[in-house]
Amino acid sequence: MIQDVLLRREGLGVLRCETRDISFEGACIETGLISVPASIEIELIFTHDDQYTAEVVRIGAQVVRAYGHGIGVNFQHYYDGSHRFLLKLLD
């Protein structure tokens, strides 16, 4: 499943990306032509709209691998609603 996500980090600003292979532990994120170094901490901002509500979910992550046009991240900090959001997304 592909999910749009905003990647935020001080110094990088906000970058619109797509996730691939998302799980409870982490995800692969396509960053396009923007290079993101390994070992940095980032914040991922997901939005989810259903027929009744719009939801914004933030998850803190660490970049564990940089490759070609993407990165692999491990989720580090789960904020309000993030577990519920991942359950819905992975269902």
Side-chain angles (χ1 to χ4, degrees), residues 4-9 12-18 29-36 43-45 69 71:
D4 291 334
V5 65
L6 297 176
L7 183 153
R8 187 174 78 78
R9 180 179 187 254
L12 283 178
V14 176
L15 178 63
R16 182 174 298 278
C17 302
E18 290 182 341
I29 300 174
E30 299 297 322
T31 58
L33 298 176
I34 304 298
S35 177
V36 178
E43 181 180 49
L44 300 173
I45 305 165
H69 297 294
I71 57 174

Side-chain angles (χ1 to χ4, degrees), residues 48-61:
H48 174 72
D49 296 321
D50 64 22
Q51 62 185 9
Y52 303 109
T53 60
E55 181 178 18
V56 175
V57 175
R58 300 174 189 281
I59 300 175

Side-chain angles (χ1 to χ4, degrees), residues 22-26 75 78 82-88 90:
I22 193 166
S23 72
F24 280 109
E25 291 82 31
F75 298 149
Y78 297 91
S82 56
H83 279 103
R84 187 180 66 227
F85 171 77
L86 288 172
L87 276 172
K88 280 188 211 176
L90 295 171

